[in-house]
Amino acid sequence: MLQDMRENAQGTIAKIIIGLLILSLSVWGMDAIIGGFSGEPEVATVNGQDITEREFLRVVQLESQNRLSRMERPDPSLLDEDQIRVDVLQALIEEQVLAQDADRQGLALSDADIDALITQMPQFQVDGQFNRDQFVTTVRNVGMGVGEFRDAMRKQTVVNQIRAGIVASGVVTSNSITRLMKIQNQTRDFRLLNISASAVADQVNVSAGDIQAFYDSNPNLFQQPEQVDVSYVVLSLNALADAIVISDEELLTYYQSREADLAREERRAAHILVEDTADADAVVERIQQRLADGEDFAALAQELSIDTVSGEQGGDLGFAGRGVYDPAFDEALFSLEPGTVSDPVRTSFGVHLIKLNDIRRSDVPALADVAAQLRDDLSREQAREAYAQARTTLADSAYAADNLEGPAKDLNLELRQADKITRNGGGEPFDHAGLVRQLFSEDVLNGGYNTELIDVADNRAVVARVRVYREAEVLPLDGVEDAIRSNLEAEKTRTALAARASEMAAQLQAGESLQDIADDSWATYSEQPRSAPELGGGVMQTVYALPRPRAGDVSYGHTITGNSAVVIALDKVNEGEVNTGSTEYVQLQEFLASLDGQREYTPTSSGCGITPRWGVRSTGLVHS
């Protein structure tokens, strides 16, 4: 890949592509490139209503970001884009079906309902209060307009209500719950007889022929994967920062420059927001005149501000530090004296009149109390510029070099080595999937190139180079003989134990006494629940799988646990107690009802008039 880029960046293919783009623009215009000839394309039609490509791609992007955020080490290359597209399309179709059903039932939310929901959402609040600027910015950051967001909110809320209503409608009878709780709370009386591996040792014999046969029949078990030994260098901001020595004079100067930050100033603002229309200036002038005539700012905010949420509080926005608001708003606010009102301030949300109501500051801590933190901050601050420069230098030099010795020497980096890295990775930093893919790429593995500079963590980058490549191979028998012998012995021991335990259980069931078939005695257990931890899950699972014995009779069974076998004698089944007023009973009732409701809620596209318009394929959306 890298070699192709080097050779073809100025080649014929690039020129042809540029020529085709120019031809397309000149003949058909920009729409031919970015949108086609007609209106906005759809990805599916549900009962005559379109799901647009724009909506689909936006949700795909959001879902991709969501899945990345759940990764321990976010790596876009690990996303299954085809599966995300399939999942998103199915979800949008199901949502559309439910939204149409809501329309048929006459379910809808008013504008006031939507306003109430939006103002309660924490992501749109500043200091616990709804902030219109925060709302608009957040919505725009996900690629939506305010009106579009409100419509989506309206649809999603109604759909969720239908979904919750269906799930909550599940019903389960008290008899069902009682029967289940009796089974769940059941206990059993039983006896156990352990048979150790030594009891069948004379039956276990592994020959050289057995080992050879197993080795020949299972070559995949002894396959050593292809491996590389590598050289690599690590560039780390932390290492650069640790090497920086901050003098006392530098520390004092930095402390003095940070006093304002350390004392953190917050300002309590109120505003009157006017829509930025053609007559906005005239509206603002009338408000300013009324203020000059002595009218109360809070009363005017409540009467006139289009930010109705803060308007109800007299325009109050609460306390906030620098950088919270729009830069123009922020600059105006922090230039005011308490009690004064700003000149008109234009932002993307409209025209503001801002009043500073209060200022609060914390005391500046003593230098001794913050010295360690300030030294760290200053060293990292100085290291950031050095890191950025070194990162660029390393990327360029490693790209051009045919080794890593030169780049490492130029940047005074340690040249490290790691061995036996497979396609599944290795120790840190080769637990990063992107770096491992680079190592096993054609350019690096066979072309002799260094990897690209890979950011394996925040402010930590790696360049690596293959020193030795070893193809996959089957390990020789003499290297795995002991392991095969051990596994075969364990397998034959378990087989012999199972046979012995099964034979003893059958003899006991037939009426023979324990003294006639074994030298050991039973260990007795009474009223043991299913979850008895001291006996292990395998034993208890077998105990509870045995049939209920008739009065005066015994049910026998057996199981294997580790390197021993266990014969089980089930003497009695004790019915579980049920308290219909207990928390456990109520929780089980709610859980079963919810399961029943979820079975009822199965959105499906069959028979509802869905007409697919696009196919989701590995190359993206392809018109079908």
Side-chain angles (χ1 to χ4, degrees), residues 12 47 89 120 189 286 299 501:
T12 304
N47 293 323
L89 183 58
Q120 293 170 12
D189 300 344
R286 287 195 293 271

Side-chain angles (χ1 to χ4, degrees), residues 334-352:
F334 279 84
S335 66
L336 292 175
E337 295 295 328
T340 60
V341 178
S342 72
D343 291 332
V345 177
R346 274 184 163 79
T347 71
S348 58
F349 310 109
V351 185
H352 309 256

Side-chain angles (χ1 to χ4, degrees), residues 231-250:
S231 300
Y232 68 103
V233 291
V234 178
L235 180 65
S236 167
L237 184 141
N238 287 339
L240 293 176
D242 291 343
I244 294 175
V245 178
I246 304 298
S247 67
D248 292 341
E249 292 76 11
E250 287 179 303

Side-chain angles (χ1 to χ4, degrees), residues 234-246 377-395 410-413 453 459-461:
V234 178
L235 180 65
S236 167
L237 184 141
N238 287 339
L240 293 176
D242 291 343
I244 294 175
V245 178
I246 304 298
D377 290 347
L378 183 54
S379 63
R380 290 183 65 83
E381 188 176 298
Q382 293 179 1
R384 280 191 184 91
E385 183 177 352
Y387 178 80
Q389 293 175 349
R391 189 185 183 285
T392 300
T393 300
L394 179 58
D410 292 343
L411 291 167
N412 195 29
L413 298 175
L453 184 68
N459 297 314
R460 194 161 188 264

